[in-house]
Structures are given as C-alpha cells and as structure tokens.
Amino acid sequence: MKTLNQKNKLSEKQPLDYYLNLQYPVTLYPDPEGGYVAQIKDLPGCLTQGETLDETIANINEARELWIETAYEAGDEIPLPSTDDTYSGKLLLRMPKSLHRRLAEKADRENVSLNQYIVSVLSQGGSG
C-alpha cells in the first residue's frame, strides 16, 4: 500500500536519478539448468540470469537501470519499491474440513496453536 506521500511523488515526475537510486527488492533463485536467475517483481519483466551470484547481481543492477531509463524516457509510470509495510501478516484461508482437522490435530500433538503450527509448516516449505 502506497502512502499519500509516495502517491504524490508518483504524480510529480522526479529526476531520473531519483528513480535510479531507489532500492528495489531482488528475488534470486537457482536456475535448474545451472547458474542463477534474478528478478525485480516491482518492475514487470525486469529479470536476468548469470553463472555466479556476483554475475547475476551485476546483471540485475544493469537490467534495473535500463528498465528505469527506458520507462523514464517513454514517460511511463515507474513503480516505487514494495516494502514490508505492504503486507499485514494476516491471511484469511479457506481449506477442506479434512485438512483443517488434520492440521489442528497435529498442532494439538505439538502443543502449539493451529496458527503457530501452520506458520511453522509454511516456513519449512513442507506440507502438513
């Protein structure tokens, strides 16, 4: 969620250096075929790859600059970086009753709340 101050900055065109100096979150993950892939989700289509982490980071920094420069010259809107303020940490989730029961029973065996158990399972990347 953008603040009023951020919305005002978007409506007023800032100098190019303003956008080039913004810090965007970068997602890095291994490429199944070798090397790494990097993506800036706030800048649609801004992604790259490299053989090493250093190369991939250098490539994503160059891709970010080119993405911003191209959008700026075209007069396109340049999104501001997302922050953790965008996420409340709350999620309403619907699931089958049988899964709910199974998770609740496992949480009870672990002597933790259902919420704590689900967060634990999600943080481990596994299933309940």
Side-chain angles (χ1 to χ4, degrees):
M1 175 198 295
K2 305 248 184 273
T3 65
L4 182 57
N5 208 10
Q6 288 174 318
K7 287 180 184 174
N8 286 342
K9 284 184 181 177
L10 278 179
S11 62
E12 305 167 12
K13 188 167 184 175
Q14 300 293 320
L16 179 59
D17 282 346
Y18 167 82
Y19 299 104
L20 290 173
N21 288 315
L22 293 172
Q23 299 296 311
Y24 288 89
V26 174
T27 303
L28 285 165
Y29 50 94
D31 187 335
E33 297 178 13
Y36 299 90
V37 175
Q39 178 180 19
I40 299 177
K41 294 179 181 180
D42 293 328
L43 305 176
C46 186
L47 64 113
T48 189
Q49 61 188 47
E51 292 300 316
T52 66
L53 284 174
D54 288 340
E55 179 185 359
T56 307
I57 290 169
N59 290 348
I60 195 64
N61 285 330
E62 181 180 358
R64 177 188 55 81
E65 288 178 12
L66 291 171
W67 194 104
I68 291 171
E69 288 170 354
T70 301
Y72 190 87
E73 290 171 8
D76 295 339
E77 182 177 317
I78 299 172
L80 293 177
S82 60
T83 65
D84 286 341
D85 295 342
T86 306
Y87 304 98
S88 68
K90 296 179 182 179
L91 172 69
L92 176 61
L93 181 65
R94 302 234 184 255
M95 67 182 80
K97 291 178 183 179
S98 60
L99 176 59
H100 188 176
R101 180 181 57 249
R102 198 168 77 234
L103 291 170
E105 288 170 353
K106 288 184 177 186
D108 192 46
R109 283 195 298 271
E110 296 289 327
N111 201 26
V112 296
S113 72
L114 178 58
N115 282 346
Q116 287 176 313
Y117 181 74
I118 291 172
V119 167
S120 172
V121 169
L122 290 173
S123 69
Q124 295 171 19
S127 60

